[in-house]
Amino acid sequence: MHTGDASYIRQLNRKIILQQIMQHKSISRAEIAKSTGLNKATVSSQIADMLGEGLLLEQHAEVSSGGRKPIYLSFNGSCGYAIGVDIDVNSISIAATDIKGKIVAKEIHSIEDSGFLAVEEKLKTIINKMRGTLPESKYGMIGIGIGVHGIVDNDQTIIFTPQHQWRNIDLKRSMESFFQVPVIIANNSNLCAVAEQVFSSESTNLACITTYSGIGMGIIIQGMLFQGFEGFSGEVGHMIIEPEGRTCTCGNKGCFEQYASEKVLLQEIRERIGRLDLPLEELHQIIEKGGAEVEEVIKNYTTHLAIGVNNIINILNPEKVIINCEIFSYHPAILEKVEKNLTSIMNHRKELKISTLGKNACMLGASASVIKDFLKTDHIVFSQV
């Protein structure tokens, strides 16, 4: 118990005030005191500290309702920068955001050698390069968040990546030693779920399904990321939906992601029309045009995707199910086909929708996690970038 601990109470009050400023973007001391129930002296003392730390900015109101013009407080976004990274099968996406979550730089780099040591060296190079381009600021690079398409335990050790076949890797320690800043390693789908909550003002009870090279899921329950006993929750891509089906890299057969990932859908369309090297832009045109062969592939795909979504809804009963899939962003009508397959009276959810963050989600979730730790607050909320 922290009862009577003055430093704990002070830290708790700081969190409350920070969250009020985030929620309102711009707010006066009096408004903070009124909305939180904290006395004005406590609010003023905390604000003075954060102004001294360079975290906040003050601005006089342009219009006054009489008397002194109020002074509004907002975050000083340019006082520091977070790096968010998404290590996918064939590429590394990296973005830098200010502490208000605004993207200030973004790059994509191909992976030529997927061995861990080669990828680790590439990570160090591209992060170092991006750090060198960041504007001058009081805190500089405040931390690095890295999303991995695989299993990450509660100690942030990479247990296994099905695509790269990495096992028991402590990337966190080596990166912290190299960069001398805090580093967060997390499952990419978990970070996508965090991003949906932080940047899209989504529900405090949601499931975010990512369906790019594989399938994963991040789960937010009562505003908190649910990670399971050892941190392995959300590996829905490896639930079996076709007994004795296609062989999966995880060692099982008939896994969900072998039938319903975006990678599988695009590959099957290419195979069906006999164009294995068909560029993505032309693929989108073919999907838009339709035709019997393409429609058959999409029907099989949406049927299998609906099976998995049905299972997820029945197990979790989330308020919202968000699907992060690039193909849906281009062809939202495909989601309608999935919904038509969700006919069970047990499918209670408020909304099934397409993510508006797309491929930025993992990087933004990684960056948001770094910022949350830097600010030492439990929750953060930003405007969509």
Side-chain angles (χ1 to χ4, degrees), residues 271-331:
E271 290 174 356
R272 187 62 67 93
I273 64 177
R275 295 276 307 279
L276 297 181
D277 59 346
L278 187 67
L280 190 57
E281 286 187 9
E282 288 187 46
L283 249 177
H284 286 310
Q285 293 172 8
I286 288 170
I287 293 171
E288 192 67 36
K289 186 177 179 181
E293 290 186 327
V294 172
E295 286 298 323
E296 184 182 352
V297 172
I298 291 175
K299 181 181 178 182
N300 289 335
Y301 167 78
T302 54
T303 298
H304 284 108
L305 182 57
I307 290 171
V309 172
N310 175 81
N311 294 344
I312 289 164
I313 292 172
N314 286 344
I315 293 169
L316 294 177
N317 183 219
E319 180 184 1
K320 293 189 180 182
V321 178
I322 302 166
I323 299 182
N324 190 320
C325 175
E326 190 173 33
I327 202 76
F328 282 15
S329 300
Y330 283 93
H331 311 283

Side-chain angles (χ1 to χ4, degrees), residues 227-278:
Q227 295 179 275
F229 171 57
E230 293 182 311
F232 299 175
S233 69
E235 289 296 331
V236 295
H238 300 287
M239 64 178 173
I240 296 170
I241 64 168
E242 287 281 358
E244 298 303 315
R246 299 168 186 168
T247 300
C248 182
T249 53
C250 77
N252 280 331
K253 292 182 179 181
C255 288
F256 185 30
E257 69 177 38
Q258 293 300 316
Y259 297 87
S261 69
E262 180 177 303
K263 177 183 176 181
V264 166
L265 171 63
L266 299 180
Q267 183 65 20
E268 289 187 350
I269 292 175
R270 288 184 172 108
E271 290 174 356
R272 187 62 67 93
I273 64 177
R275 295 276 307 279
L276 297 181
D277 59 346
L278 187 67

Side-chain angles (χ1 to χ4, degrees), residues 67 75 120 123 126 141 150 156 240 251-252 254 256 260 288 332:
F75 271 109
E120 179 187 34
L123 272 176
I126 62 179
M141 185 171 72
Q156 301 184 42
I240 296 170
N252 280 331
F256 185 30
E288 192 67 36

Side-chain angles (χ1 to χ4, degrees), residues 40-56:
K40 291 181 179 179
T42 296
V43 171
S44 293
S45 174
Q46 291 277 0
I47 295 300
D49 286 348
M50 287 186 272
L51 285 168
E53 294 165 21
L55 293 177
L56 302 180

Side-chain angles (χ1 to χ4, degrees), residues 7-8 10-19 22 50 53 55 75 139 142 182 368-380:
S7 64
Y8 170 74
R10 186 167 182 80
Q11 184 62 40
L12 182 61
N13 290 339
R14 179 185 173 102
K15 288 180 183 180
I16 292 169
I17 292 168
L18 280 171
Q19 286 168 193
M22 281 183 204
M50 287 186 272
E53 294 165 21
L55 293 177
F75 271 109
Y139 294 103
I142 62 173
S369 299
V370 168
I371 295 167
K372 182 173 73 69
D373 285 358
F374 173 72
L375 295 175
K376 296 182 175 63
T377 186
D378 296 328
H379 304 286
I380 56 175

Side-chain angles (χ1 to χ4, degrees), residues 17 29 33 55 76 79 98 111 117 124 137 146 149 173 175 223 285 315 328 333 358 375 382:
I17 292 168
R29 290 169 174 80
L55 293 177
N76 178 12
C79 74
D98 65 17
I111 295 176
L117 293 178
K124 290 177 179 177
S137 64
I146 300 175
H149 293 235
R173 184 170 63 176
M175 296 294 281
Q285 293 172 8
I315 293 169
F328 282 15
L375 295 175
F382 294 134

